[in-house]
Amino acid sequence: MTTKLSLANLETVRKTAGVPAYARSALKAGIVHFGVGNFHRAHQAVYLDALFNAGRDLDWAIVGAGVLPSDEAMRAKLASQDYLTTVVEQDNNRTGAHVTGAMIDYLKPGDVASTVARLADPAIRIVSLTITEGGYFIDPASGVFNPAHPAIAADGENPDDPKTVFGLILAGLKARRAKGIAAFTIMSCDNIPGNGEVTHAAVSGLARLSDPDFADWIDASVAFPNGMVDRITPATGPREIEIVADEYGIEDQWPVFCEEFKQWVLEDKFPQGRPALETVGVQFVPDVAPYEHMKIRILNGGHAAIAYPAALLDIHFVHEAMEDADIRAFLAKLERDEIIPVIPPVPDTDLADYFTLIEKRFSNPKIGDTIPRLAQDGSNRQPKFILPSTADRLRRGEDVIGLSLVSALWCRYFAGTSDSGKAIVFNDASAERLQAAALKAKDDPTAFLALSDIFGEVAASELFRRRFAHALQTLWDRGTRATLRLYLDDKLAD
């Protein structure tokens, strides 16, 4: 028998899971968050929940917001359970569940007036974002904001009827300026190098399309702290919902599963104040860049590296990929030979030890992270997680045998079938053109590298083109496993 998750049922839920120690009625909104997905609910919301449990900063509760159809589905499910979420933390040797209550409202997607009114509320001092790497309207190859994107151009022409996250944020800022209310801080929680600068470029760049003076005001008045976020958080499906019901007796329509580990490193740039997150484990540092490089290239780059060989070998779960001796060895060699050597030093951190921790985290069988999740949205992830390391090595005159193989594996994946002939289901906004290029690349490898918005300057390297072409041909001729073994034996170079 299960108990429906709600404020009224928390005493019953307490028997099997942790529940908030604070009264939800005592919370007041201080943050509007766009992109209420699993990662946000397993990360930012968990840190705030811990802070509220300590009796601190109860005026920093979260109000959810969004613009996508999926945001409405999430809003409806969370509203039906009083915006509570069951978070299941799963380590190799421990599993536990607790209910978080840091969110107190969720604005209806599409209701521009209500969203702008909330953003203009002086109580809102931070607007945060988890809108995925592809949500910032930046050119993948250059990392520069793209003002010509159709959605941005439309908001630039119609700033009073915004459709994008950044259009809504601008409308809120404009309303605050008109009322003499100080600007809120805008805080990205996405895996993008320099995510604060990227967000600044998107907000200011959109404003400049219709009102250059307003853009100048934003540049002078709005803070955009950089941050590094980290917690492996798989998607929720029937499996996770059933586990929460069967093991904890909780009927939660959208629980979150995650690893026990979490990390958040932030620049302390919050002119209108911030919650005391340092008391619950957040690191505030003057320069986030070293931590970003480490995490994005070693962890996210590692995920991108194992996703495609695993998919081509019909492996579904991440921990199963790590149990495959060839894939695990491929990841270790790639990281130690090519990725880690081009990462700048990180304060008080041994990068070899950090990678050992990453291997352990990837091997966690309990959280059920999947290869399809890692393989999705490669058109945005490869230019941020893999190709920067490739570019760095090429600038230093160093070889890129392993990194070229990663790109070739991605290309082979987009041909549409695994080595066994099983059809691959893509989850990428650019899937159609990627597959067309990948199929042409079987005979002409340069067809894939011609995706200049993705490969940029890397594709101009004769060494990279040669390594990529040889790796791709080997994948087609000999298959994924044999190609990995050639690489591991230092026999892949042409």
PDB file of all heavy atoms in Angstrom, residues 22-59:
ATOM      1  N   TYR A  22      11.338  21.733   8.500  1.00  0.00           N
ATOM      2  CA  TYR A  22      10.774  23.081   8.569  1.00  0.00           C
ATOM      3  C   TYR A  22       9.298  23.042   8.150  1.00  0.00           C
ATOM      4  O   TYR A  22       8.853  22.121   7.455  1.00  0.00           O
ATOM      5  CB  TYR A  22      11.542  24.025   7.638  1.00  0.00           C
ATOM      6  CG  TYR A  22      11.736  23.489   6.242  1.00  0.00           C
ATOM      7  CD1 TYR A  22      10.812  23.732   5.220  1.00  0.00           C
ATOM      8  CD2 TYR A  22      12.853  22.704   5.932  1.00  0.00           C
ATOM      9  CE1 TYR A  22      10.985  23.225   3.953  1.00  0.00           C
ATOM     10  CE2 TYR A  22      13.035  22.192   4.653  1.00  0.00           C
ATOM     11  CZ  TYR A  22      12.092  22.452   3.664  1.00  0.00           C
ATOM     12  OH  TYR A  22      12.256  21.938   2.409  1.00  0.00           O
ATOM     13  N   ALA A  23       8.565  24.043   8.595  1.00  0.00           N
ATOM     14  CA  ALA A  23       7.176  24.179   8.157  1.00  0.00           C
ATOM     15  C   ALA A  23       7.165  24.850   6.790  1.00  0.00           C
ATOM     16  O   ALA A  23       7.738  25.926   6.618  1.00  0.00           O
ATOM     17  CB  ALA A  23       6.385  25.009   9.156  1.00  0.00           C
ATOM     18  N   ARG A  24       6.517  24.230   5.831  1.00  0.00           N
ATOM     19  CA  ARG A  24       6.482  24.824   4.506  1.00  0.00           C
ATOM     20  C   ARG A  24       5.830  26.211   4.537  1.00  0.00           C
ATOM     21  O   ARG A  24       6.186  27.093   3.757  1.00  0.00           O
ATOM     22  CB  ARG A  24       5.719  23.901   3.556  1.00  0.00           C
ATOM     23  CG  ARG A  24       6.610  22.894   2.854  1.00  0.00           C
ATOM     24  CD  ARG A  24       7.364  23.542   1.701  1.00  0.00           C
ATOM     25  NE  ARG A  24       6.433  24.035   0.731  1.00  0.00           N
ATOM     26  CZ  ARG A  24       5.954  23.291  -0.275  1.00  0.00           C
ATOM     27  NH1 ARG A  24       6.358  22.045  -0.437  1.00  0.00           N
ATOM     28  NH2 ARG A  24       5.088  23.797  -1.125  1.00  0.00           N
ATOM     29  N   SER A  25       4.923  26.413   5.426  1.00  0.00           N
ATOM     30  CA  SER A  25       4.236  27.703   5.518  1.00  0.00           C
ATOM     31  C   SER A  25       5.191  28.826   5.931  1.00  0.00           C
ATOM     32  O   SER A  25       4.877  30.008   5.741  1.00  0.00           O
ATOM     33  CB  SER A  25       3.075  27.621   6.505  1.00  0.00           C
ATOM     34  OG  SER A  25       3.549  27.235   7.791  1.00  0.00           O
ATOM     35  N   ALA A  26       6.351  28.462   6.479  1.00  0.00           N
ATOM     36  CA  ALA A  26       7.315  29.475   6.914  1.00  0.00           C
ATOM     37  C   ALA A  26       8.198  29.962   5.767  1.00  0.00           C
ATOM     38  O   ALA A  26       8.903  30.964   5.914  1.00  0.00           O
ATOM     39  CB  ALA A  26       8.191  28.903   8.027  1.00  0.00           C
ATOM     40  N   LEU A  27       8.175  29.265   4.634  1.00  0.00           N
ATOM     41  CA  LEU A  27       9.035  29.635   3.523  1.00  0.00           C
ATOM     42  C   LEU A  27       8.461  30.806   2.729  1.00  0.00           C
ATOM     43  O   LEU A  27       7.255  30.930   2.568  1.00  0.00           O
ATOM     44  CB  LEU A  27       9.225  28.447   2.575  1.00  0.00           C
ATOM     45  CG  LEU A  27       9.886  27.193   3.140  1.00  0.00           C
ATOM     46  CD1 LEU A  27      10.080  26.169   2.024  1.00  0.00           C
ATOM     47  CD2 LEU A  27      11.208  27.514   3.797  1.00  0.00           C
ATOM     48  N   LYS A  28       9.368  31.629   2.214  1.00  0.00           N
ATOM     49  CA  LYS A  28       8.997  32.725   1.318  1.00  0.00           C
ATOM     50  C   LYS A  28       9.893  32.675   0.084  1.00  0.00           C
ATOM     51  O   LYS A  28      11.063  32.329   0.162  1.00  0.00           O
ATOM     52  CB  LYS A  28       9.158  34.075   2.026  1.00  0.00           C
ATOM     53  CG  LYS A  28       8.219  34.255   3.216  1.00  0.00           C
ATOM     54  CD  LYS A  28       8.431  35.608   3.875  1.00  0.00           C
ATOM     55  CE  LYS A  28       7.506  35.787   5.079  1.00  0.00           C
ATOM     56  NZ  LYS A  28       7.734  37.091   5.749  1.00  0.00           N
ATOM     57  N   ALA A  29       9.333  33.051  -1.047  1.00  0.00           N
ATOM     58  CA  ALA A  29      10.058  32.949  -2.306  1.00  0.00           C
ATOM     59  C   ALA A  29      11.205  33.943  -2.384  1.00  0.00           C
ATOM     60  O   ALA A  29      11.055  35.107  -2.008  1.00  0.00           O
ATOM     61  CB  ALA A  29       9.107  33.176  -3.476  1.00  0.00           C
ATOM     62  N   GLY A  30      12.357  33.461  -2.872  1.00  0.00           N
ATOM     63  CA  GLY A  30      13.502  34.330  -3.131  1.00  0.00           C
ATOM     64  C   GLY A  30      14.171  34.055  -4.454  1.00  0.00           C
ATOM     65  O   GLY A  30      14.966  34.846  -4.943  1.00  0.00           O
ATOM     66  N   ILE A  31      13.825  32.899  -5.057  1.00  0.00           N
ATOM     67  CA  ILE A  31      14.458  32.443  -6.299  1.00  0.00           C
ATOM     68  C   ILE A  31      13.376  32.013  -7.281  1.00  0.00           C
ATOM     69  O   ILE A  31      12.454  31.284  -6.916  1.00  0.00           O
ATOM     70  CB  ILE A  31      15.398  31.247  -6.032  1.00  0.00           C
ATOM     71  CG1 ILE A  31      16.519  31.633  -5.063  1.00  0.00           C
ATOM     72  CG2 ILE A  31      15.985  30.709  -7.332  1.00  0.00           C
ATOM     73  CD1 ILE A  31      17.362  30.450  -4.594  1.00  0.00           C
ATOM     74  N   VAL A  32      13.485  32.461  -8.536  1.00  0.00           N
ATOM     75  CA  VAL A  32      12.715  31.874  -9.631  1.00  0.00           C
ATOM     76  C   VAL A  32      13.670  31.002 -10.428  1.00  0.00           C
ATOM     77  O   VAL A  32      14.748  31.453 -10.829  1.00  0.00           O
ATOM     78  CB  VAL A  32      12.086  32.949 -10.532  1.00  0.00           C
ATOM     79  CG1 VAL A  32      11.519  32.313 -11.811  1.00  0.00           C
ATOM     80  CG2 VAL A  32      10.974  33.686  -9.796  1.00  0.00           C
ATOM     81  N   HIS A  33      13.269  29.758 -10.630  1.00  0.00           N
ATOM     82  CA  HIS A  33      14.147  28.822 -11.350  1.00  0.00           C
ATOM     83  C   HIS A  33      13.485  28.336 -12.625  1.00  0.00           C
ATOM     84  O   HIS A  33      12.397  27.754 -12.600  1.00  0.00           O
ATOM     85  CB  HIS A  33      14.499  27.609 -10.490  1.00  0.00           C
ATOM     86  CG  HIS A  33      15.422  26.674 -11.209  1.00  0.00           C
ATOM     87  ND1 HIS A  33      16.782  26.875 -11.268  1.00  0.00           N
ATOM     88  CD2 HIS A  33      15.169  25.568 -11.969  1.00  0.00           C
ATOM     89  CE1 HIS A  33      17.338  25.930 -12.006  1.00  0.00           C
ATOM     90  NE2 HIS A  33      16.382  25.130 -12.450  1.00  0.00           N
ATOM     91  N   PHE A  34      14.168  28.551 -13.768  1.00  0.00           N
ATOM     92  CA  PHE A  34      13.708  28.059 -15.059  1.00  0.00           C
ATOM     93  C   PHE A  34      14.365  26.715 -15.353  1.00  0.00           C
ATOM     94  O   PHE A  34      15.585  26.587 -15.298  1.00  0.00           O
ATOM     95  CB  PHE A  34      14.085  29.047 -16.170  1.00  0.00           C
ATOM     96  CG  PHE A  34      13.234  30.277 -16.215  1.00  0.00           C
ATOM     97  CD1 PHE A  34      13.616  31.427 -15.538  1.00  0.00           C
ATOM     98  CD2 PHE A  34      12.042  30.294 -16.929  1.00  0.00           C
ATOM     99  CE1 PHE A  34      12.838  32.577 -15.583  1.00  0.00           C
ATOM    100  CE2 PHE A  34      11.255  31.434 -16.981  1.00  0.00           C
ATOM    101  CZ  PHE A  34      11.646  32.581 -16.314  1.00  0.00           C
ATOM    102  N   GLY A  35      13.533  25.726 -15.676  1.00  0.00           N
ATOM    103  CA  GLY A  35      14.061  24.412 -16.033  1.00  0.00           C
ATOM    104  C   GLY A  35      14.017  23.453 -14.862  1.00  0.00           C
ATOM    105  O   GLY A  35      15.063  22.990 -14.387  1.00  0.00           O
ATOM    106  N   VAL A  36      12.802  23.143 -14.396  1.00  0.00           N
ATOM    107  CA  VAL A  36      12.655  22.281 -13.215  1.00  0.00           C
ATOM    108  C   VAL A  36      12.695  20.825 -13.662  1.00  0.00           C
ATOM    109  O   VAL A  36      11.677  20.146 -13.757  1.00  0.00           O
ATOM    110  CB  VAL A  36      11.349  22.601 -12.459  1.00  0.00           C
ATOM    111  CG1 VAL A  36      11.255  21.757 -11.187  1.00  0.00           C
ATOM    112  CG2 VAL A  36      11.284  24.086 -12.105  1.00  0.00           C
ATOM    113  N   GLY A  37      13.882  20.371 -13.982  1.00  0.00           N
ATOM    114  CA  GLY A  37      14.074  18.978 -14.353  1.00  0.00           C
ATOM    115  C   GLY A  37      14.663  18.179 -13.212  1.00  0.00           C
ATOM    116  O   GLY A  37      14.729  18.636 -12.065  1.00  0.00           O
ATOM    117  N   ASN A  38      15.109  16.971 -13.536  1.00  0.00           N
ATOM    118  CA  ASN A  38      15.660  16.103 -12.491  1.00  0.00           C
ATOM    119  C   ASN A  38      16.920  16.670 -11.862  1.00  0.00           C
ATOM    120  O   ASN A  38      17.115  16.589 -10.646  1.00  0.00           O
ATOM    121  CB  ASN A  38      15.944  14.716 -13.076  1.00  0.00           C
ATOM    122  CG  ASN A  38      14.703  13.853 -13.113  1.00  0.00           C
ATOM    123  OD1 ASN A  38      13.588  14.340 -13.021  1.00  0.00           O
ATOM    124  ND2 ASN A  38      14.884  12.554 -13.268  1.00  0.00           N
ATOM    125  N   PHE A  39      17.801  17.245 -12.702  1.00  0.00           N
ATOM    126  CA  PHE A  39      19.057  17.710 -12.119  1.00  0.00           C
ATOM    127  C   PHE A  39      18.815  18.828 -11.110  1.00  0.00           C
ATOM    128  O   PHE A  39      19.391  18.816 -10.018  1.00  0.00           O
ATOM    129  CB  PHE A  39      20.034  18.190 -13.196  1.00  0.00           C
ATOM    130  CG  PHE A  39      21.344  18.638 -12.592  1.00  0.00           C
ATOM    131  CD1 PHE A  39      22.266  17.703 -12.165  1.00  0.00           C
ATOM    132  CD2 PHE A  39      21.609  19.975 -12.382  1.00  0.00           C
ATOM    133  CE1 PHE A  39      23.449  18.096 -11.554  1.00  0.00           C
ATOM    134  CE2 PHE A  39      22.782  20.387 -11.781  1.00  0.00           C
ATOM    135  CZ  PHE A  39      23.713  19.444 -11.362  1.00  0.00           C
ATOM    136  N   HIS A  40      17.994  19.781 -11.446  1.00  0.00           N
ATOM    137  CA  HIS A  40      17.709  20.867 -10.497  1.00  0.00           C
ATOM    138  C   HIS A  40      17.166  20.311  -9.191  1.00  0.00           C
ATOM    139  O   HIS A  40      17.573  20.735  -8.093  1.00  0.00           O
ATOM    140  CB  HIS A  40      16.694  21.841 -11.104  1.00  0.00           C
ATOM    141  CG  HIS A  40      16.048  22.731 -10.089  1.00  0.00           C
ATOM    142  ND1 HIS A  40      16.723  23.762  -9.470  1.00  0.00           N
ATOM    143  CD2 HIS A  40      14.801  22.726  -9.557  1.00  0.00           C
ATOM    144  CE1 HIS A  40      15.907  24.359  -8.613  1.00  0.00           C
ATOM    145  NE2 HIS A  40      14.753  23.746  -8.650  1.00  0.00           N
ATOM    146  N   ARG A  41      16.252  19.349  -9.275  1.00  0.00           N
ATOM    147  CA  ARG A  41      15.611  18.827  -8.054  1.00  0.00           C
ATOM    148  C   ARG A  41      16.553  17.944  -7.240  1.00  0.00           C
ATOM    149  O   ARG A  41      16.333  17.736  -6.044  1.00  0.00           O
ATOM    150  CB  ARG A  41      14.335  18.078  -8.430  1.00  0.00           C
ATOM    151  CG  ARG A  41      13.270  19.003  -9.002  1.00  0.00           C
ATOM    152  CD  ARG A  41      11.959  18.303  -9.271  1.00  0.00           C
ATOM    153  NE  ARG A  41      12.087  17.246 -10.235  1.00  0.00           N
ATOM    154  CZ  ARG A  41      11.472  16.069 -10.136  1.00  0.00           C
ATOM    155  NH1 ARG A  41      10.705  15.778  -9.099  1.00  0.00           N
ATOM    156  NH2 ARG A  41      11.625  15.157 -11.078  1.00  0.00           N
ATOM    157  N   ALA A  42      17.617  17.439  -7.895  1.00  0.00           N
ATOM    158  CA  ALA A  42      18.608  16.632  -7.177  1.00  0.00           C
ATOM    159  C   ALA A  42      19.795  17.461  -6.719  1.00  0.00           C
ATOM    160  O   ALA A  42      20.660  16.941  -6.007  1.00  0.00           O
ATOM    161  CB  ALA A  42      19.102  15.492  -8.063  1.00  0.00           C
ATOM    162  N   HIS A  43      19.846  18.728  -7.099  1.00  0.00           N
ATOM    163  CA  HIS A  43      21.041  19.531  -6.830  1.00  0.00           C
ATOM    164  C   HIS A  43      20.687  20.813  -6.085  1.00  0.00           C
ATOM    165  O   HIS A  43      20.686  20.853  -4.859  1.00  0.00           O
ATOM    166  CB  HIS A  43      21.770  19.821  -8.135  1.00  0.00           C
ATOM    167  CG  HIS A  43      23.155  20.346  -7.962  1.00  0.00           C
ATOM    168  ND1 HIS A  43      23.444  21.684  -8.001  1.00  0.00           N
ATOM    169  CD2 HIS A  43      24.341  19.711  -7.741  1.00  0.00           C
ATOM    170  CE1 HIS A  43      24.744  21.856  -7.808  1.00  0.00           C
ATOM    171  NE2 HIS A  43      25.319  20.678  -7.647  1.00  0.00           N
ATOM    172  N   GLN A  44      20.353  21.879  -6.803  1.00  0.00           N
ATOM    173  CA  GLN A  44      20.063  23.165  -6.163  1.00  0.00           C
ATOM    174  C   GLN A  44      18.968  23.036  -5.106  1.00  0.00           C
ATOM    175  O   GLN A  44      19.089  23.553  -3.989  1.00  0.00           O
ATOM    176  CB  GLN A  44      19.656  24.188  -7.215  1.00  0.00           C
ATOM    177  CG  GLN A  44      19.361  25.584  -6.656  1.00  0.00           C
ATOM    178  CD  GLN A  44      18.913  26.541  -7.744  1.00  0.00           C
ATOM    179  OE1 GLN A  44      19.015  26.258  -8.937  1.00  0.00           O
ATOM    180  NE2 GLN A  44      18.407  27.678  -7.351  1.00  0.00           N
ATOM    181  N   ALA A  45      17.881  22.331  -5.445  1.00  0.00           N
ATOM    182  CA  ALA A  45      16.782  22.191  -4.491  1.00  0.00           C
ATOM    183  C   ALA A  45      17.199  21.405  -3.254  1.00  0.00           C
ATOM    184  O   ALA A  45      16.720  21.668  -2.141  1.00  0.00           O
ATOM    185  CB  ALA A  45      15.588  21.519  -5.172  1.00  0.00           C
ATOM    186  N   VAL A  46      18.104  20.441  -3.428  1.00  0.00           N
ATOM    187  CA  VAL A  46      18.585  19.642  -2.285  1.00  0.00           C
ATOM    188  C   VAL A  46      19.441  20.500  -1.360  1.00  0.00           C
ATOM    189  O   VAL A  46      19.314  20.427  -0.126  1.00  0.00           O
ATOM    190  CB  VAL A  46      19.359  18.410  -2.796  1.00  0.00           C
ATOM    191  CG1 VAL A  46      20.138  17.747  -1.665  1.00  0.00           C
ATOM    192  CG2 VAL A  46      18.403  17.410  -3.429  1.00  0.00           C
ATOM    193  N   TYR A  47      20.318  21.321  -1.931  1.00  0.00           N
ATOM    194  CA  TYR A  47      21.131  22.215  -1.097  1.00  0.00           C
ATOM    195  C   TYR A  47      20.247  23.182  -0.311  1.00  0.00           C
ATOM    196  O   TYR A  47      20.470  23.410   0.898  1.00  0.00           O
ATOM    197  CB  TYR A  47      22.099  23.013  -1.970  1.00  0.00           C
ATOM    198  CG  TYR A  47      23.361  22.271  -2.354  1.00  0.00           C
ATOM    199  CD1 TYR A  47      23.523  21.756  -3.635  1.00  0.00           C
ATOM    200  CD2 TYR A  47      24.395  22.090  -1.439  1.00  0.00           C
ATOM    201  CE1 TYR A  47      24.690  21.098  -4.004  1.00  0.00           C
ATOM    202  CE2 TYR A  47      25.563  21.431  -1.795  1.00  0.00           C
ATOM    203  CZ  TYR A  47      25.703  20.932  -3.081  1.00  0.00           C
ATOM    204  OH  TYR A  47      26.860  20.277  -3.426  1.00  0.00           O
ATOM    205  N   LEU A  48      19.247  23.753  -0.957  1.00  0.00           N
ATOM    206  CA  LEU A  48      18.358  24.694  -0.260  1.00  0.00           C
ATOM    207  C   LEU A  48      17.534  23.974   0.799  1.00  0.00           C
ATOM    208  O   LEU A  48      17.304  24.516   1.892  1.00  0.00           O
ATOM    209  CB  LEU A  48      17.454  25.401  -1.263  1.00  0.00           C
ATOM    210  CG  LEU A  48      18.157  26.474  -2.100  1.00  0.00           C
ATOM    211  CD1 LEU A  48      17.310  26.864  -3.299  1.00  0.00           C
ATOM    212  CD2 LEU A  48      18.470  27.701  -1.251  1.00  0.00           C
ATOM    213  N   ASP A  49      17.095  22.766   0.499  1.00  0.00           N
ATOM    214  CA  ASP A  49      16.341  21.984   1.473  1.00  0.00           C
ATOM    215  C   ASP A  49      17.185  21.745   2.732  1.00  0.00           C
ATOM    216  O   ASP A  49      16.695  21.857   3.859  1.00  0.00           O
ATOM    217  CB  ASP A  49      15.922  20.652   0.845  1.00  0.00           C
ATOM    218  CG  ASP A  49      15.075  19.798   1.766  1.00  0.00           C
ATOM    219  OD1 ASP A  49      13.906  20.145   1.995  1.00  0.00           O
ATOM    220  OD2 ASP A  49      15.594  18.770   2.251  1.00  0.00           O
ATOM    221  N   ALA A  50      18.466  21.419   2.539  1.00  0.00           N
ATOM    222  CA  ALA A  50      19.358  21.218   3.684  1.00  0.00           C
ATOM    223  C   ALA A  50      19.517  22.505   4.489  1.00  0.00           C
ATOM    224  O   ALA A  50      19.560  22.482   5.729  1.00  0.00           O
ATOM    225  CB  ALA A  50      20.721  20.720   3.201  1.00  0.00           C
ATOM    226  N   LEU A  51      19.601  23.623   3.787  1.00  0.00           N
ATOM    227  CA  LEU A  51      19.731  24.911   4.464  1.00  0.00           C
ATOM    228  C   LEU A  51      18.478  25.213   5.281  1.00  0.00           C
ATOM    229  O   LEU A  51      18.556  25.641   6.443  1.00  0.00           O
ATOM    230  CB  LEU A  51      19.951  26.013   3.417  1.00  0.00           C
ATOM    231  CG  LEU A  51      20.315  27.397   3.938  1.00  0.00           C
ATOM    232  CD1 LEU A  51      21.662  27.385   4.645  1.00  0.00           C
ATOM    233  CD2 LEU A  51      20.344  28.395   2.771  1.00  0.00           C
ATOM    234  N   PHE A  52      17.309  24.986   4.709  1.00  0.00           N
ATOM    235  CA  PHE A  52      16.061  25.224   5.433  1.00  0.00           C
ATOM    236  C   PHE A  52      15.926  24.265   6.618  1.00  0.00           C
ATOM    237  O   PHE A  52      15.412  24.641   7.682  1.00  0.00           O
ATOM    238  CB  PHE A  52      14.862  25.064   4.497  1.00  0.00           C
ATOM    239  CG  PHE A  52      14.864  26.002   3.313  1.00  0.00           C
ATOM    240  CD1 PHE A  52      14.130  25.699   2.172  1.00  0.00           C
ATOM    241  CD2 PHE A  52      15.598  27.179   3.327  1.00  0.00           C
ATOM    242  CE1 PHE A  52      14.127  26.545   1.078  1.00  0.00           C
ATOM    243  CE2 PHE A  52      15.608  28.040   2.226  1.00  0.00           C
ATOM    244  CZ  PHE A  52      14.867  27.718   1.107  1.00  0.00           C
ATOM    245  N   ASN A  53      16.383  23.023   6.447  1.00  0.00           N
ATOM    246  CA  ASN A  53      16.345  22.067   7.557  1.00  0.00           C
ATOM    247  C   ASN A  53      17.189  22.533   8.739  1.00  0.00           C
ATOM    248  O   ASN A  53      16.923  22.168   9.887  1.00  0.00           O
ATOM    249  CB  ASN A  53      16.823  20.689   7.100  1.00  0.00           C
ATOM    250  CG  ASN A  53      15.733  19.884   6.439  1.00  0.00           C
ATOM    251  OD1 ASN A  53      14.558  20.020   6.769  1.00  0.00           O
ATOM    252  ND2 ASN A  53      16.105  19.037   5.488  1.00  0.00           N
ATOM    253  N   ALA A  54      18.224  23.333   8.430  1.00  0.00           N
ATOM    254  CA  ALA A  54      19.065  23.891   9.497  1.00  0.00           C
ATOM    255  C   ALA A  54      18.473  25.156  10.099  1.00  0.00           C
ATOM    256  O   ALA A  54      19.092  25.775  10.962  1.00  0.00           O
ATOM    257  CB  ALA A  54      20.460  24.184   8.935  1.00  0.00           C
ATOM    258  N   GLY A  55      17.286  25.539   9.622  1.00  0.00           N
ATOM    259  CA  GLY A  55      16.625  26.722  10.157  1.00  0.00           C
ATOM    260  C   GLY A  55      17.143  28.026   9.600  1.00  0.00           C
ATOM    261  O   GLY A  55      16.897  29.098  10.167  1.00  0.00           O
ATOM    262  N   ARG A  56      17.858  27.961   8.455  1.00  0.00           N
ATOM    263  CA  ARG A  56      18.490  29.135   7.890  1.00  0.00           C
ATOM    264  C   ARG A  56      17.759  29.650   6.650  1.00  0.00           C
ATOM    265  O   ARG A  56      17.246  28.878   5.864  1.00  0.00           O
ATOM    266  CB  ARG A  56      19.946  28.812   7.474  1.00  0.00           C
ATOM    267  CG  ARG A  56      20.890  28.422   8.603  1.00  0.00           C
ATOM    268  CD  ARG A  56      21.264  29.637   9.454  1.00  0.00           C
ATOM    269  NE  ARG A  56      21.871  30.702   8.651  1.00  0.00           N
ATOM    270  CZ  ARG A  56      23.188  30.806   8.412  1.00  0.00           C
ATOM    271  NH1 ARG A  56      24.020  29.896   8.912  1.00  0.00           N
ATOM    272  NH2 ARG A  56      23.668  31.818   7.704  1.00  0.00           N
ATOM    273  N   ASP A  57      17.732  30.966   6.472  1.00  0.00           N
ATOM    274  CA  ASP A  57      17.395  31.625   5.207  1.00  0.00           C
ATOM    275  C   ASP A  57      16.094  31.118   4.593  1.00  0.00           C
ATOM    276  O   ASP A  57      16.036  30.758   3.407  1.00  0.00           O
ATOM    277  CB  ASP A  57      18.542  31.444   4.217  1.00  0.00           C
ATOM    278  CG  ASP A  57      19.805  32.151   4.674  1.00  0.00           C
ATOM    279  OD1 ASP A  57      19.718  32.968   5.608  1.00  0.00           O
ATOM    280  OD2 ASP A  57      20.873  31.892   4.093  1.00  0.00           O
ATOM    281  N   LEU A  58      15.023  31.134   5.360  1.00  0.00           N
ATOM    282  CA  LEU A  58      13.742  30.611   4.888  1.00  0.00           C
ATOM    283  C   LEU A  58      13.066  31.507   3.854  1.00  0.00           C
ATOM    284  O   LEU A  58      12.012  31.154   3.320  1.00  0.00           O
ATOM    285  CB  LEU A  58      12.800  30.388   6.072  1.00  0.00           C
ATOM    286  CG  LEU A  58      13.305  29.437   7.172  1.00  0.00           C
ATOM    287  CD1 LEU A  58      12.253  29.268   8.261  1.00  0.00           C
ATOM    288  CD2 LEU A  58      13.694  28.086   6.597  1.00  0.00           C
ATOM    289  N   ASP A  59      13.686  32.647   3.557  1.00  0.00           N
ATOM    290  CA  ASP A  59      13.130  33.549   2.540  1.00  0.00           C
ATOM    291  C   ASP A  59      13.787  33.346   1.176  1.00  0.00           C
ATOM    292  O   ASP A  59      13.725  34.232   0.309  1.00  0.00           O
ATOM    293  CB  ASP A  59      13.276  35.012   2.980  1.00  0.00           C
ATOM    294  CG  ASP A  59      14.723  35.413   3.244  1.00  0.00           C
ATOM    295  OD1 ASP A  59      15.559  34.520   3.456  1.00  0.00           O
ATOM    296  OD2 ASP A  59      15.009  36.626   3.258  1.00  0.00           O
TER     297      ASP A  59
END
